[in-house]
Amino acid sequence: MAWTRDQMAERAAKELRDGFYVNLGIGIPTLVSNYIPAGMSVQLQSENGMLGTGPFPFEGEEDPDLINAGKQTVTELPSTSYFSSVDSFAMIRGGHIDLSILGAMQVAENGDLANWMIPGKMVKGMGGAMDLVAGVKKVVVVMEHTAKDEAKLLHKCNLPLTGAGVVDMVITDLAVFMIDKKGGKGMNLVELAPDVTLDEVRAKTEANYQVALNRN
């Protein structure tokens, strides 16, 4: 069966490493903060100027002054620090973030990412995604495999790009894909959600990819 949103976030958390500085995008990626392995030191960075974001608070324990870039209430840690958004983006653009976990509207087989607007629909702004995909060492996309029965993994994106050739990994509710954006080997299917078949993934994917399942 397909992974739930929480299971997708839990799978994404497996990409964390001790000592990483990580930025979590709005939506499913924010749930990753609840699945950081015990004993692992990971600093979560938010574009609005918070480094060391903790898990979501329990109901009734919310502090409206503590929010992430998506305006969700979060918790702080003993190591949390605060600074201006100018310093926050200097950290991003300076290449000091090890991993960014983002949502997406579309991802192409070559690593192109579209996640900031749909033509004709009002948007508040591009946010920090363009800076993140340009300045971060590794980009992981977590998203539903389809939207309204339309594929989101494509040969070529038809929405405005956030970044060209920037995605390293895609985690959907059906499968995990790796993208060799520099070596030119394209997209590889490396993992399936429990009881999801290759035929099911193939029917819902419009990107070209190779099957290289990890059997371990």
Side-chain angles (χ1 to χ4, degrees), residues 69-203:
K71 297 182 175 59
Q72 297 169 302
T73 53
V74 294
T75 58
E76 62 181 356
L77 304 171
S79 59
T80 299
S81 59
Y82 303 92
F83 36 83
S84 72
S85 61
V86 173
D87 292 323
S88 178
F89 276 91
M91 186 177 186
I92 293 169
R93 294 167 184 168
H96 303 292
I97 303 297
D98 298 288
L99 173 65
S100 180
I101 302 177
L102 303 169
M105 299 171 186
Q106 295 177 343
V107 176
E109 62 195 50
N110 67 343
D112 288 354
L113 169 67
N115 81 336
W116 77 281
M117 74 168 294
I118 297 175
K121 293 192 176 183
M122 182 173 14
V123 293
K124 296 179 180 179
M126 65 185 67
M130 291 184 178
D131 294 277
L132 285 165
V133 298
V136 173
K137 298 172 185 175
K138 181 178 180 179
V139 175
V140 173
V141 166
V142 183
M143 66 179 189
E144 303 289 347
H145 204 91
T146 60
K148 297 181 180 179
D149 294 325
E150 292 187 2
K152 297 175 68 174
L153 284 172
L154 307 172
H155 173 64
K156 184 177 181 179
C157 296
N158 53 47
L159 293 175
L161 293 185
T162 305
V166 294
V167 178
D168 296 283
M169 173 183 279
V170 181
I171 299 170
T172 76
D173 51 329
L174 301 182
V176 179
F177 297 83
M178 297 292 295
I179 299 177
D180 182 16
K181 61 187 185 185
K182 294 182 180 179
K185 296 181 180 178
M187 178 182 287
N188 289 290
L189 170 60
V190 297
E191 187 176 339
L192 291 171
D195 300 322
V196 170
T197 66
L198 288 172
D199 287 339
E200 184 177 358
V201 173
R202 188 176 298 112

